[in-house]
Amino acid sequence: MNIPVNFTMWILAFLPIIALLVLMIKFNWGATEAAAVGLIITIITGMTAYKADIRLIASESAKGIWNALVILLIVWTAILLYQVGEEANAFQVIRNGMKKLLPNELLLVMALGWIFESFLQGITGFGVPVAVGAPLLIGVGVSPLWAVIIPLISQAWGNTFGTLAAAWDSLAMTAGLTTGSGDYWKTALWAAVFLLFWDAITGLVICWFYGKGKAIKKGLVAVTILTVIQGGGELVLSQINTTLSCFIPSAISLVVILLMGRMKMYRDEWSLADSPIMDRKFTEAADAEETETTDMTLVQAFVPYFLLSALTLIVLLVKPINNFLGQFSFGLAFPETSTGYGYVNAATDCFSPIAPFTHASMFLFVSAIIGLVYYKGHGWIKEGGVKRIFVKSVSMTMPSGIAVIGLVIMSKLMSGTGQTVVLAEGIANVLGKAYLILAPFVGLLGTFMTGSNMSSNILFGDFQMTTATLLKVSAPAVLGAQTAGASIGAATSASKIILGTTTANILGREGEVLKKVLVVAIPPTIIIGLVVFVFTFI
């Protein structure tokens, strides 16, 4: 690669990201409008400063459209699952049933906004925890904006070792870590330590959102116990079996938080009337209904989610089934392209292949359809309900599709023209060892751009390893910071934010969500960078 890494090239590469942040945060633009501006800037800088020809632009754009369509499959199927529950009035049942199990409202919000998302992240990922979690939180009275923010932050800690460690495996592969080697386990340890820290922050932040100091005092015991189980459990298991190191602790925590509802300090009804995240008009109206409008039980209301969990576990963990269903995959072929600076995108016969029968969208779709049949069979979905479900799910998906496509194409063009690499190399070249403070920000940047911890690790894993070698510092610490930053970045991912705002029916408010999430995400990322920096001098 002969791309000049200088200030001008660096600032031009950073320009699309600056535009996104300013438009969404400062001017409260929706992701659809901001993505269009960012995409135009990326094309212009790619063709002029980075010497990309129209063939490369077309090829990378097509890759972006393909990746975006895969994301939109998850969006549509998650909304379909939500609409099935909405039509059957299942969310009212979930609200009332969970309130009986967890009369402490703060614990209820943590259960549906943190622990359930962690469990879903452990097995599915791909934004499913955000898409599914937002309507569940709205169902218990959380205002729509906060119903998106809380799952975004909550699923982030599980991004590296969640989805059965897909992102971790991509980091190990890209960085050249041999499975079972000393550096492999050391890197896993560093990553798990950083994620334990972030998991603790998550619990405390949810308490702070709910009621500041009063809520932290009330929820501190619960947060401590759940963090030890989730983050601590992941830390231990990361040294034994990385594949299950997120799923097992998150599954245990789901059981534990329900048992907490019987603890002396949490078994009585408790809430803060002035909680800024709760929609009291909603809760008061719901509480005014003295009788259920359906004979559905809490277990029956959760049937689609039980199916989602069971299907995912069976297909992903039972090797013969996974191997059989996973053999059916397809992708698109793309030719080799290169810029005038010699930055090459290799040819591929099967770009970003999707295995439909093992993909998260399939689990969501099957769960939604079986849930639809189950609810209809019990008479909970009335005449015309099936048509309403499909019409609403399609109409809610379409507006978000434009934003997702624009953002993913922008990401692919930045990567394919070499702008992403210039961003990272420019920072490392200028800062020297001080770069270590920003190492997790590189991971965060990768996820912000691509929407995926796994993609961030693929994009920057080798770069982080090379940089650590050149600076003669601990590669495991730097790689751990990379994937931890990428995990935290999952809370800032525009595509995941769109998933949440779509299912929460507040599409267009992505800037408000991003603004609040960044306030939470940036300080811990700085701390992780400082820890790595200090460690190098010990």
Side-chain angles (χ1 to χ4, degrees):
M1 183 188 79
N2 300 312
I3 304 176
V5 181
N6 53 46
F7 180 76
T8 301
M9 296 295 282
W10 188 90
I11 202 68
L12 286 172
F14 198 33
L15 200 57
I17 297 172
I18 294 173
L20 272 183
L21 293 174
V22 171
L23 292 174
M24 292 179 69
I25 297 174
K26 176 67 176 176
F27 296 102
N28 288 324
W29 281 29
T32 303
E33 297 83 4
V37 175
L39 178 57
I40 291 170
I41 294 172
T42 305
I43 293 172
I44 292 172
T45 56
M47 295 187 72
T48 55
Y50 283 80
K51 298 184 179 181
D53 59 21
I54 193 66
R55 185 167 169 266
L56 185 149
I57 297 295
S59 178
E60 294 304 304
S61 296
K63 290 177 183 177
I65 293 171
W66 171 249
N67 283 345
L69 290 176
V70 174
I71 294 172
L72 289 173
L73 275 175
I74 297 174
V75 177
W76 178 69
T77 50
I79 293 172
L80 183 66
L81 180 64
Y82 160 69
Q83 288 294 344
V84 167
E86 179 72 11
E87 185 68 31
N89 208 27
F91 292 119
Q92 180 194 357
V93 176
I94 290 172
R95 175 187 181 274
N96 295 339
M98 290 298 289
K99 282 191 72 174
K100 291 175 183 176
L101 288 173
L102 299 171
N104 184 293
E105 190 174 65
L106 174 59
L107 210 63
L108 177 63
V109 171
M110 285 197 287
L112 292 178
W114 178 25
I115 306 307
F116 188 55
E117 276 70 20
S118 299
F119 173 73
L120 289 177
Q121 183 61 39
I123 53 174
T124 57
F126 299 103
V128 171
V130 181
V132 172
L136 285 177
L137 284 173
I138 292 171
V140 297
V142 178
S143 63
L145 185 71
W146 291 103
V148 176
I149 293 167
I150 291 172
L152 276 168
I153 295 169
S154 299
Q155 51 84 37
W157 79 271
N159 258 256
T160 288
F161 295 105
T163 322
L164 301 182
W168 163 255
D169 289 341
S170 69
L171 178 71
M173 175 192 69
T174 309
L177 299 175
T178 304
T179 303
S181 67
D183 278 351
Y184 179 91
W185 296 117
K186 287 178 184 177
T187 304
L189 181 65
W190 275 104
V193 168
F194 292 144
L195 294 170
L196 168 60
F197 165 65
W198 172 248
D199 193 31
I201 294 294
T202 299
L204 293 173
V205 162
I206 291 173
C207 292
W208 180 262
F209 285 162
Y210 180 82
K212 297 188 177 179
K214 288 182 182 178
I216 288 179
K217 182 179 179 181
K218 189 69 176 179
L220 186 59
V221 171
V223 170
T224 302
I225 293 172
L226 293 167
T227 300
V228 168
I229 293 171
Q230 290 191 149
E234 182 177 79
L235 177 62
V236 172
L237 287 173
S238 71
Q239 302 301 292
I240 301 170
N241 186 319
T242 54
T243 302
L244 298 175
S245 60
C246 175
F247 168 69
I248 291 177
S250 59
I252 294 172
S253 69
L254 191 59
V255 175
V256 169
I257 197 167
L258 294 176
L259 295 176
M260 279 184 184
R262 301 186 180 277
M263 289 174 60
K264 185 177 180 180
M265 67 184 303
Y266 294 122
R267 68 189 178 195
D268 297 325
E269 190 171 329
W270 184 87
S271 64
L272 292 176
D274 59 348
S275 172
I277 71 170
M278 302 303 294
D279 182 355
R280 290 303 174 200
K281 291 182 180 178
F282 175 90
T283 54
E284 287 169 7
D287 289 340
E289 297 181 12
E290 296 182 359
T291 58
E292 295 277 8
T293 59
T294 175
D295 59 349
M296 187 188 301
T297 66
L298 179 61
V299 171
Q300 289 172 320
F302 267 113
V303 161
Y305 301 101
F306 292 149
L307 283 168
L308 175 63
S309 303
L311 277 171
T312 307
L313 287 174
I314 292 169
V315 172
L316 295 184
L317 290 182
V318 180
K319 287 296 182 182
I321 295 177
N322 182 264
N323 291 338
F324 175 72
L325 295 178
Q327 67 181 318
F328 303 100
S329 66
F330 58 91
L332 302 180
F334 288 94
E336 179 182 290
T337 58
S338 63
T339 69
Y341 286 115
Y343 187 82
V344 177
N345 298 290
T348 176
D349 293 327
C350 191
F351 171 76
S352 193
I354 178 174
F357 298 115
T358 60
H359 192 254
S361 61
M362 180 59 70
F363 307 143
L364 286 163
F365 180 73
V366 172
S367 300
I369 296 301
I370 295 177
L372 172 60
V373 172
Y374 179 77
Y375 288 155
K376 188 170 176 58
H378 283 76
W380 297 321
I381 293 180
K382 306 301 182 185
E383 186 177 348
V386 175
K387 181 180 179 180
R388 283 192 297 272
I389 287 169
F390 280 91
V391 169
K392 287 181 179 179
S393 62
V394 171
S395 63
M396 283 182 71
T397 304
M398 288 179 66
S400 62
I402 300 171
V404 170
I405 291 171
L407 286 165
V408 178
I409 292 175
M410 174 182 153
S411 165
K412 291 305 299 178
L413 287 175
M414 287 190 69
S415 175
T417 56
Q419 296 180 63
T420 301
V421 173
V422 168
L423 276 175
E425 287 196 2
I427 294 171
N429 292 344
V430 170
L431 296 178
K433 283 193 176 182
Y435 161 77
L436 299 175
I437 299 173
L438 294 182
F441 279 97
V442 172
L444 188 150
L445 175 67
T447 305
F448 174 77
M449 289 167 47
T450 65
S452 165
N453 185 335
M454 181 172 66
S455 297
S456 178
N457 287 344
I458 292 171
L459 203 57
F460 292 126
D462 181 57
F463 164 78
Q464 297 274 26
M465 172 65 92
T466 302
T467 303
T469 303
L470 291 173
L471 295 176
K472 298 180 180 179
V473 297
S474 169
V478 174
L479 291 171
Q482 153 66 32
T483 194
S487 277
I488 296 173
T492 71
S493 161
S495 59
K496 286 185 173 64
I497 292 174
I498 293 169
L499 279 172
T501 56
T502 302
T503 56
N505 205 23
I506 56 168
L507 194 65
R509 299 180 67 183
E510 292 81 17
E512 294 177 64
V513 174
L514 181 60
K515 189 186 301 182
K516 293 185 181 297
V517 169
L518 283 175
V519 172
V520 177
I522 289 176
T525 309
I526 293 173
I527 292 172
I528 290 171
L530 287 171
V531 169
V532 176
F533 179 74
V534 171
F535 174 77
T536 61
F537 294 100
I538 296 177

